[in-house]
Amino acid sequence: MQRLLASVPRCSNAGRRAVVGTSGIRSVSSAATRTLDALEKLKKGSLYKEAGIIGGEEVTLSKTFEVLDPATLQPVAQVPDLGLPELDRAISAASTAFSSFSTTTTAFERAAMLNRWHALVMANQDELAALITLENGKPLAEAKGEVAYAASFMSWFAGEAPRAYGDVLVPSVAGHRAITIKQPVGVVGILTPWNFPAAMITRKTAAAVAAGCSVVIKPDAETPLTAIALAKLALEAGIPPGVINVVPTKSALAEVGRTLCEDVRLRKLSFTGSTAVGQLLMAQSASSLKKLSFELGGNAPFIVFEDVDIDAAVAAAVLCKFRGSGQTCVCANRMYVHASVYDEFVQKLTEVVKGFKLGSGFDAQTTHGPLIHARAIEKVERHVADAVAKGARVEVGGERASAEVGPHFYAPTIVSGATSEMAVAREETFGPLAAVFKFETEEEVVRQANESDVGLASYVFTKNIARVMRVAEKLEYGMVGVNTGIISDCAAPFGGVKFSGFGREGSKYGLDEYLTVKAVTIGGGGW
């Protein structure tokens, strides 16, 4: 804490208070003050941990890396920078745990563990949300929503655990019978991103635990605190030591990633992140031939036909595009609006966006937080500049937020007059930029929507049920939201096609990703 206070830069007194640190009295911005207050409160709780979790034990090292609050760029934690020796210990712990966990616990016992984990997460919802806001920057209310969403996978897979059904088959050989049984795949490597530091952990881990697997989690170095806290709660819930291990790392990221791919003790790898990294991990996993599931990049089209309620479509667009300040893999990247309602849609969307308030996620008035790092801002700037240079018009935003707001904030932006020649049409922005395209016909917009090498999420707004089915079937995407901007749900399969990866998370299909099917053929007749 003293180091954090000492690192706050000198600034004017407007909206600030004096704080005493090791280097004397400094004035601290209101955003930094909120961060300090939240950090102080978290340190008094039980979930703020600067340690990895291996075999149920906290692991520390003298070598650490900083976790920063993206709203202020102030350090909020020093997390051990674990490397290959600690990763080997984690894999060994997971392997030992798997040998007993997969054979001595019943599906009903694992379901009970998951339900207890769910109850503990929800009992600690406020503290977990504060951790998310601290290291990710999203507004506290949005972070609380993520915690509830993350917990939903625990209760969902608690229900699915006893439903890993097999079959009884009649083979072609007289007197033979065959049965199939589903068994846990083994130790699982899990690599998660920073944008949903709780939900991306639980969507994978809850399914793995339900199946009887153990896991080694490598959280993103931007947001390790939430993963560590979830693992601590899992231990409290009675999930045995070694079943869930957390290995935070920064300097050894490449080596840890390669080992998770190549080590034959791990029989599955689940990754959420960019397409480029997914391709690398797939290549590195070839030698171990492990089971893979990848949720990769997106470039979601958001199609608004002429027969919809424009106010409802705008409200859905706001939720879909600007949740997490546009830093979600399923957020609308390309908004296609029919020519007859185009101007009305743009005007109403612009008015809503003008009412957004940027700032610290700990400020109750904040609607949108920072971007995670400078590279994210630079990409938004590049997309806006490219669009403007090619004829687009900035309706609102189009620039970094003022220095008063903070270094990692970009004003929520709408550009109209977008065309397929622009970078935003081909690349996922992953930021608060909504590019609005105009279309005339159904055939035209479906063709434009499919002109992408990725296929994760897509959205269609129309009252015509025949069009709903026709367009949904033609769209080359793993998920289609109809008249809604929110498609993520523990009961619905989540995943993509093309360069958006393969495999499904959540839903009844998510459990199968952590199971293998074994056939047992019985001969000898006597049936």
Side-chain angles (χ1 to χ4, degrees), residues 3 26 45 160-161 190 216 265 407 464:
R3 183 175 178 278
R26 302 211 172 187
E160 288 298 299
I190 291 177
V216 177
R265 290 175 293 176
N464 185 325

Side-chain angles (χ1 to χ4, degrees), residues 112 119-120 157 211 279 302 436:
L120 284 170
F157 283 112
Q279 290 171 318
F302 186 99
V436 191

Side-chain angles (χ1 to χ4, degrees), residues 76-215:
V76 295
Q78 297 286 335
V79 175
D81 193 1
L82 304 187
L84 293 183
E86 293 76 32
L87 177 62
D88 183 72
R89 285 172 53 194
I91 296 173
S92 295
S95 299
T96 299
F98 174 74
S99 64
S100 58
F101 185 64
S102 60
T103 57
T104 63
T105 61
T106 68
F108 293 96
E109 290 170 334
R110 296 193 295 273
M113 294 174 191
L114 288 169
N115 280 324
R116 290 195 297 269
W117 194 18
H118 173 275
L120 284 170
V121 166
M122 293 308 297
N124 290 274
Q125 184 179 18
D126 289 344
E127 194 171 348
L128 287 166
L131 279 173
I132 293 172
T133 297
L134 190 71
E135 61 183 355
N136 170 278
K138 65 179 63 176
L140 196 57
E142 192 173 325
K144 288 183 71 173
E146 181 187 340
V147 174
Y149 176 54
S152 72
F153 290 102
M154 300 167 188
S155 57
W156 173 264
F157 283 112
E160 288 298 299
R163 296 187 175 90
Y165 302 134
D167 296 293
V168 178
L169 311 173
V170 180
S172 60
V173 179
H176 281 204
R177 292 292 185 271
I179 61 172
T180 63
I181 58 175
K182 293 183 178 180
Q183 296 181 304
V185 67
V187 180
V188 179
I190 291 177
L191 297 97
T192 58
W194 49 262
N195 58 338
F196 287 94
M200 297 300 97
I201 296 283
T202 62
R203 195 163 69 185
K204 301 172 189 295
T205 304
V209 170
C213 298
S214 58
V215 302

Side-chain angles (χ1 to χ4, degrees), residues 96-351:
T96 299
F98 174 74
S99 64
S100 58
F101 185 64
S102 60
T103 57
T104 63
T105 61
T106 68
F108 293 96
E109 290 170 334
R110 296 193 295 273
M113 294 174 191
L114 288 169
N115 280 324
R116 290 195 297 269
W117 194 18
H118 173 275
L120 284 170
V121 166
M122 293 308 297
N124 290 274
Q125 184 179 18
D126 289 344
E127 194 171 348
L128 287 166
L131 279 173
I132 293 172
T133 297
L134 190 71
E135 61 183 355
N136 170 278
K138 65 179 63 176
L140 196 57
E142 192 173 325
K144 288 183 71 173
E146 181 187 340
V147 174
Y149 176 54
S152 72
F153 290 102
M154 300 167 188
S155 57
W156 173 264
F157 283 112
E160 288 298 299
R163 296 187 175 90
Y165 302 134
D167 296 293
V168 178
L169 311 173
V170 180
S172 60
V173 179
H176 281 204
R177 292 292 185 271
I179 61 172
T180 63
I181 58 175
K182 293 183 178 180
Q183 296 181 304
V185 67
V187 180
V188 179
I190 291 177
L191 297 97
T192 58
W194 49 262
N195 58 338
F196 287 94
M200 297 300 97
I201 296 283
T202 62
R203 195 163 69 185
K204 301 172 189 295
T205 304
V209 170
C213 298
S214 58
V215 302
V216 177
I217 301 168
K218 199 291 294 176
D220 195 284
E222 308 278 2
T223 56
L225 299 176
T226 306
I228 296 164
L230 287 169
K232 292 294 291 183
L233 289 176
L235 287 167
E236 290 183 32
I239 295 176
V243 172
I244 298 177
N245 305 274
V246 180
V247 181
T249 187
K250 188 168 187 177
S251 65
L253 175 61
E255 295 86 350
V256 166
R258 177 180 286 276
T259 299
L260 289 173
C261 293
E262 295 179 348
D263 196 308
V264 295
R265 290 175 293 176
L266 288 92
R267 296 311 311 150
K268 175 180 169 63
L269 183 72
S270 179
F271 167 70
T272 297
S274 71
T275 296
V277 174
Q279 290 171 318
L280 175 64
L281 295 175
M282 190 170 183
Q284 292 178 344
S285 298
S287 63
S288 63
L289 287 177
K290 55 174 51 72
K291 191 173 184 177
L292 304 173
S293 56
F294 288 165
E295 188 247 298
L296 308 176
N299 188 357
F302 186 99
I303 304 171
V304 179
F305 286 98
E306 69 277 12
D307 60 343
V308 301
D309 179 334
I310 293 298
D311 290 333
V314 167
V318 169
L319 286 174
C320 181
K321 171 69 251 184
F322 293 104
R323 183 167 55 109
S325 295
Q327 299 174 113
T328 78
C329 56
V330 295
C331 76
N333 201 58
R334 299 168 289 156
M335 293 189 178
Y336 295 99
V337 182
H338 192 272
S340 64
V341 294
Y342 184 89
D343 291 341
E344 181 183 3
F345 180 91
V346 170
Q347 183 268 324
K348 290 185 173 180
L349 182 61
T350 299
E351 287 304 311

